[in-house]
Amino acid sequence: MSVEENKPAQGAGPERGIVLPDKDDDVGFTWLDRAIVWLGKKLSLVFALIVLVSFYEIIRRYVFDAPTLWVHETVTFAGATLFIIGGLYALATDRHVRIVLIYDAVSPRVQRWLRVVHHLLGLAFSGMLLFASWSMTKAAVLAPWGDIRLETSGSAWNPPFPALLKVIILVAVATMTLQFVLHLIRDLRGKGDK
């Protein structure tokens, strides 16, 4: 564990035994969180690539009057994928939505129990999402007769991006479910709360 990962949360002293990163550190809480943060930082460079590819399309379309078939769908697919991974990143770095008016006003022990409730509700929600995304992915990847048939966009180019995006959503929701389990275990094992 690095020094940053051993820093206690703001407002919690070392005697509390709660190992959370500082609010300004994007290091993650668990091995899975750290992997997601590492991947997220690398993939964030794809946003720059999206801008360049979009600029290329603008030049082709408006300067040379020769638009492409592939840019719009590719950029949309890449951006959607990054936003899906952004949800995992937000949970890994504790940047998700929280009612800080209440959370910051209570003791570290109560904060821990609020996190436990959050993780339980998150597990219930991600469990429902897992079922829905499995059904959606199955329909996008398998033909009614059981053969593998990837759903396509239906455009002139017709890439299988809808099916691939649904597979990414399924993997992301499964990963988020595991994140909630690991966070729940971490907070239930919290020691020294008084």
Side-chain angles (χ1 to χ4, degrees):
M1 232 179 212
S2 68
V3 174
E4 289 83 16
E5 295 165 349
N6 271 330
K7 291 180 183 176
Q10 292 175 344
E15 71 280 353
R16 294 262 184 221
I18 301 171
V19 181
L20 297 175
D22 281 341
K23 293 292 183 188
D24 295 331
D25 293 340
D26 281 354
V27 294
F29 304 120
T30 65
W31 60 269
L32 180 59
D33 291 340
R34 288 187 290 280
I36 290 167
V37 168
W38 178 86
L39 180 64
K41 288 180 178 179
K42 303 299 182 224
L43 289 179
S44 68
L45 298 174
V46 175
F47 279 117
L49 183 63
I50 287 172
V51 171
L52 291 174
V53 171
S54 297
F55 181 71
Y56 168 76
E57 172 65 13
I58 291 167
I59 298 298
R60 289 272 317 245
R61 179 178 300 259
Y62 295 108
V63 175
F64 299 108
D65 195 26
T68 64
L69 286 175
W70 60 272
V71 168
H72 176 71
E73 288 180 292
T74 303
V75 165
T76 302
F77 172 72
T81 300
L82 291 174
F83 281 110
I84 292 167
I85 293 170
L88 299 175
Y89 189 95
L91 183 58
T93 58
D94 201 31
R95 307 282 180 169
H96 51 82
V97 176
R98 174 184 289 140
I99 304 171
V100 293
L101 181 67
I102 297 170
Y103 186 80
D104 290 348
V106 298
S107 70
R109 180 177 185 202
V110 174
Q111 285 180 351
R112 180 171 65 93
W113 286 107
L114 286 174
R115 286 193 309 272
V116 166
V117 170
H118 170 262
H119 302 325
L120 289 171
L121 292 173
L123 266 174
F125 179 70
S126 63
M128 290 183 275
L129 275 180
L130 197 56
F131 174 76
S133 62
W134 169 255
S135 301
M136 180 177 66
T137 302
K138 186 176 171 187
V141 172
L142 296 177
W145 51 89
D147 290 344
I148 293 179
R149 174 211 35 90
L150 298 181
E151 177 184 2
T152 58
S153 67
S155 68
W157 184 38
N158 206 24
F161 289 158
L164 297 176
L165 195 58
K166 290 172 184 176
V167 169
I168 291 169
I169 290 170
L170 175 63
V171 170
V173 171
T175 303
M176 184 178 287
T177 303
L178 181 56
Q179 277 181 286
F180 277 122
V181 168
L182 294 174
H183 288 200
L184 181 63
I185 291 169
R186 178 205 63 210
D187 285 329
L188 287 174
R189 288 183 176 173
K191 297 174 185 171
D193 292 329
K194 294 177 184 174

